[in-house]
Amino acid sequence: MSWLVDAIATGTWQGLLMLLRVALFIAPVLIALEWAKATGWLGRLTARLEPLCRRLDLPGELAPALTAGTVLGVILGSGVVLETTRDRHVPRHHVTLLFVFVGIFHAMFEETVAVFAIGGNGFIMVLTRFAFAAAAALLYRAWLGYRLRTLGSAALAPRPARGR
Amino acid sequence: MLQHSTQQAPAGERPLAVAVSRGLRATGRVLLDLARTMLPAMIAVTVLDRSGWLARLAALAAPAMAWFGLPGGTALALLIGNVVGLYSGVAAAIPLGLDYKEWTILGTMLAISHAHPVEASIIARAGANTWAVLAARLAASAAAGWLLSQLL
């Protein structure tokens, strides 16, 4: 059984080393993100993302959620969506469309740096993720349009994302 | 520097100091989370590796993983990553000794599609159709892996 003890020790040691490495890479990114939140930089980025929002046929109200999702992650993006839908009517299919994009392309700084820390190419990763997120969102949008045309809008009265 | 930024900051006083303290706290949370998810995955895969089971699993999965230009052992990393989380999946691949290209492919696939039980419930709470999002992520992950294996 000595091999088992040895394997557990090796795994723990290598895991701790990797933890340290990832922490060294991630700490500056998380500090920068907090700084961006505290100084209002994120709000300015939201204005920049509005054209992307329009391209995806998303209502402008979801732009802050798109920013939070792509920059900070799925959990915070979801929180912003909940904030948005609290007092405004947002159709459910728009929220789904948002998350088709955000699900593929989110936490762009943290996760990219993490993959870079363990030895991958973060640049290729970000490009690929963005391309596939855009492609998936456009495909889903096209499908929504097709459904609308074939079934007619009466069968598809937009369901609200909240209050079901 | 801090005095200067006090006057300009739209939100809160001394944004840099606030950012450093909040960022370090966030790093601490991520580290705790990582320790909880990475260490067990690495220990498990190292034990599997030493016992010879990883090689058997890898041989089974090798034909499928060849689609993505990855060695068979990464199937376990993909599985763990999709069920538990990105960092667990990455940790499960560390004992395999992947090269630069393989890390890029695996990292992209895992970054696109990971932690489905947790993230799906979050996405559902926001009011989206979880199944559409899940299908898009799985398909995009596989397509991206194949594309990168052809291009790189």
Side-chain angles (χ1 to χ4, degrees):
Chain A
M1 285 312 257
S2 72
W3 68 267
L4 187 60
V5 175
D6 191 46
I8 291 172
T10 311
T12 311
W13 177 237
Q14 284 193 332
L16 284 175
L17 283 182
M18 189 48 60
L19 219 61
L20 246 158
R21 228 184 123 155
V22 172
L24 279 178
F25 277 90
I26 281 187
V29 172
L30 292 180
I31 290 173
L33 286 181
E34 289 296 339
W35 182 81
K37 272 198 275 186
T39 54
W41 249 92
L42 223 52
R44 265 168 274 165
L45 191 66
T46 303
R48 287 283 188 99
L49 278 181
E50 214 122 39
L52 174 68
C53 217
R54 271 202 306 275
R55 265 191 176 238
L56 294 174
D57 250 3
L58 286 172
E61 290 111 67
L62 285 179
L66 185 67
T67 315
T70 48
V71 177
L72 302 173
V74 165
I75 298 174
L76 290 158
S78 164
V80 176
V81 170
L82 285 175
E83 241 2 87
T84 312
T85 52
R86 187 157 293 151
D87 44 304
R88 264 163 295 188
H89 174 90
V90 179
R92 182 166 150 83
H93 63 261
H94 278 152
V95 178
T96 304
L97 183 57
L98 171 80
F99 273 108
V100 166
F101 187 88
V102 168
I104 296 173
F105 189 72
H106 59 251
M108 53 183 285
F109 295 111
E110 185 193 326
E111 291 182 354
T112 305
V113 164
V115 167
F116 181 74
I118 46 151
N121 185 329
F123 187 65
I124 293 177
M125 191 186 116
V126 165
L127 276 184
T128 315
R129 275 180 95 183
F130 182 80
F132 276 94
L138 291 177
L139 264 176
Y140 186 70
R141 197 192 68 172
W143 188 69
L144 284 177
Y146 170 76
R147 229 171 45 150
L148 205 70
R149 277 197 307 279
T150 48
L151 293 177
S153 51
L156 274 171
R159 280 200 286 158
R162 191 178 259 263
R164 280 167 291 127
Chain B
M1 174 186 65
L2 291 177
Q3 293 243 314
H4 174 70
S5 50
T6 310
Q7 288 157 5
Q8 294 206 327
E13 300 175 355
R14 304 194 298 163
L16 192 64
V18 169
V20 168
S21 86
R22 280 191 199 156
L24 285 180
R25 240 178 297 157
T27 310
R29 274 200 300 276
V30 170
L31 272 191
L32 270 182
D33 191 48
L34 287 183
R36 241 185 30 228
T37 54
M38 261 180 131
L39 285 178
M42 279 209 63
I43 294 169
V45 173
T46 310
V47 168
L48 275 180
D49 186 27
R50 299 283 171 88
S51 69
W53 275 96
L54 188 64
R56 267 175 259 182
L57 283 173
L60 271 177
M65 297 314 289
W67 276 87
F68 310 123
L70 292 172
T74 52
L76 194 63
L78 275 184
L79 185 70
I80 291 177
N82 273 288
V83 174
V84 185
L86 173 67
Y87 294 106
S88 306
V90 162
I94 288 168
L96 303 174
L98 303 180
D99 66 21
Y100 184 65
K101 178 188 161 181
E102 288 163 344
W103 268 126
T104 305
I105 295 174
L106 184 70
T108 307
M109 291 182 75
L110 278 177
I112 289 177
S113 158
H114 56 248
H116 288 304
V118 174
E119 292 196 347
S121 73
I122 293 167
I123 288 169
R125 252 207 18 234
N129 179 350
T130 320
W131 296 109
V133 177
L134 179 67
R137 291 182 74 176
L138 288 176
S141 172
W146 179 81
L147 188 72
L148 284 181
S149 76
Q150 302 296 308
L151 291 180
L152 294 180

